Amino acid sequence: MQLDAMYQEIILDHYRNPHHKGLRDPHDAEAHHINPTCGDEVTLRVALTPASGATGLDEKAIVSDVSYEGMGCSISQASTSVLTDLLIGRSVAEGMETLNAFTEMMQSKGKGEPDEDVLEDAVAFVGVSKYPARIKCALLGWMAWKDAVSQSLEKEGA
């Protein structure tokens, strides 16, 4: 039970004190996603920097910035805040691996063992996976990030 309380505190802390909130420029792409079930929404911007020695953007590109604006429940907003901490400074490929780990955890119905080394504070959302109606809330920002990164890479022809 103490672990659940700690996870709840992480979620509430990110909701009350969101990281990287507020849309910033420059950015390579922007995605706006809405959860039609509950009305949560997020607009997310991503800026990528070519990997050292690279001439363009590809999956080795570095996520140099993620910024967002949104409204909705504590789960959707906190999850997006955690996402920014996890992905800024990492390569697109590492970000996609983290997204896959988070998605897998969300589909575990609370029975999976999330990898804390990969997900860090995002493991706090493992309890959310027990509630199918809330999974979309937790994934909202992550899907917007995936969409924005895909847009950025398509612009570059990667």
Side-chain angles (χ1 to χ4, degrees):
M1 197 53 115
Q2 286 182 341
L3 194 58
D4 287 342
M6 184 181 79
Y7 285 167
Q8 186 175 21
E9 190 57 39
I10 290 170
I11 292 170
L12 289 174
D13 185 49
H14 274 274
Y15 177 65
R16 292 179 186 137
N17 305 295
H19 301 184
H20 306 282
K21 191 166 185 176
L23 296 174
R24 290 186 295 277
D25 286 315
H27 65 282
D28 297 307
E30 177 178 294
H32 181 78
H33 283 219
I34 299 172
N35 181 347
T37 307
C38 63
D40 289 357
E41 58 184 275
V42 66
T43 300
L44 185 139
R45 289 181 176 173
V46 67
L48 303 178
T49 304
S52 66
T55 57
L57 298 177
D58 59 18
E59 63 180 28
K60 293 179 184 172
I62 303 301
V63 179
S64 52
D65 193 31
V66 179
S67 62
Y68 69 98
E69 275 299 328
M71 57 183 227
C73 70
S74 60
I75 292 170
S76 71
Q77 299 304 295
S79 181
T80 306
S81 175
V82 168
L83 168 153
T84 64
D85 287 347
L86 280 173
L87 303 183
I88 293 173
R90 296 196 176 164
S91 71
V92 168
E94 291 170 320
M96 290 298 178
E97 288 173 18
T98 305
L99 166 66
N100 290 338
F102 189 77
T103 302
E104 187 177 305
M105 181 181 73
M106 284 294 99
Q107 295 170 344
S108 74
K109 298 180 181 177
K111 296 177 182 154
E113 280 297 319
D115 186 342
E116 243 180 282
D117 292 334
V118 173
L119 293 173
E120 300 177 21
D121 276 357
V123 299
F125 295 89
V126 68
V128 173
S129 68
K130 297 175 189 172
Y131 306 97
R134 303 309 300 245
I135 292 170
K136 286 183 181 179
C137 299
L139 286 171
L140 185 67
W142 293 83
M143 294 300 108
W145 179 81
K146 182 180 179 183
D147 190 19
V149 166
S150 294
Q151 289 175 40
S152 292
L153 295 177
E154 282 177 19
K155 281 185 202 175
E156 281 288 318

